[in-house]
């Protein structure tokens, strides 16, 4: 795997240490590589009102949007648990807003990883260009 992706996974793994997941105990860290070369990270943030939980992926994306980033090249999603993670449907839709084909890296706590992409995980997705053709 390319060095830049190994580094991105490492950043997602460092991030999950700060995950706030007292209810599920399922910690997730995410690191987004933007087309500028900037990297932003996020963790899942749960809430006593369960439905207000925000995933690590969307928090990592929001951090970049807030500093002016708009195009995602890659995202790493890391968990300390034994199964490889999988981004939820809502996060796949939010990724689609800022990319059609970004690289997606998944890493578990057993030092295993998988490389895939948004085209595979979110085929025929609805995105911003649909609204530009009105
Ligand atoms: N979670 C994420 O942060 N990302 C995912 O891709 C899947 C789910 C979080 C939300 C919640 O805090 C916990 O995992 C259990 O659903």
């Amino acid at each position: 795997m390319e060095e830049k992706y190994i580094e991105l996974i490492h950043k997602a793994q460092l991030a999950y240490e700060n995950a706030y997941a007292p209810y599920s105990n399922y910690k997730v860290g995410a690191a987004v590589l933007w087309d500028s070369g900037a990297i932003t990270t996020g963790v899942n943030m749960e809430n006593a009102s369960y439905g207000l939980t925000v995933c690590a992926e969307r928090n990592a994306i929001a951090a970049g949007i807030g500093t002016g980033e708009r195009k995602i090249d890659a995202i790493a999603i890391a968990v300390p648990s034994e199964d490889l993670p999988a981004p939820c449907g809502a996060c796949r839709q939010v990724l689609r807003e800022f990319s059609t084909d970004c690289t997606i890296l998944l890493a578990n706590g057993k030092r295993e990883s998988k490389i895939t992409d948004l085209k595979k995980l979110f085929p025929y997705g609805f995105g911003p260009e649909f609204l530009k053709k009105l």
Side-chain angles (χ1 to χ4, degrees):
M1 188 182 289
E2 283 181 63
E3 188 57 41
K4 67 176 179 178
Y5 292 152
I6 293 170
E7 189 198 329
L8 202 63
I9 289 173
H10 188 54
K11 285 203 154 68
Q13 288 169 329
L14 288 175
Y16 70 52
E17 297 295 340
N18 289 321
Y20 180 72
Y23 306 107
S24 73
N25 208 28
Y26 185 75
K27 293 184 171 209
V28 187
V32 176
L33 173 64
W34 299 89
D35 64 343
S36 67
I39 292 173
T40 55
T41 62
V43 299
N44 53 331
M45 182 180 73
E46 298 186 346
N47 192 280
S49 177
Y50 295 166
L52 298 183
T53 291
V54 184
C55 292
E57 296 91 322
R58 275 176 285 153
N59 280 329
I61 293 166
I65 293 304
T67 54
E69 305 294 342
R70 291 294 182 269
K71 178 87 175 64
I72 294 173
D73 276 358
I75 183 168
I77 304 158
V79 292
S81 46
E82 67 174 43
D83 291 333
L84 287 172
C88 79
C91 289
R92 293 178 200 207
Q93 178 67 53
V94 173
L95 283 166
R96 179 64 177 75
E97 187 72 18
F98 305 110
S99 172
T100 54
D101 59 356
C102 64
T103 298
I104 299 178
L105 304 148
L106 308 170
N108 64 12
K110 296 192 305 190
R111 301 173 63 87
E112 294 167 337
S113 59
K114 180 184 172 75
I115 182 164
T116 183
D117 59 65
L118 192 60
K119 273 201 156 77
K120 284 197 196 107
L121 296 195
F122 199 59
Y124 203 66
F126 180 69
E129 65 280 4
F130 285 72
L131 302 177
K132 290 183 185 130
K133 287 175 191 150
L134 290 177

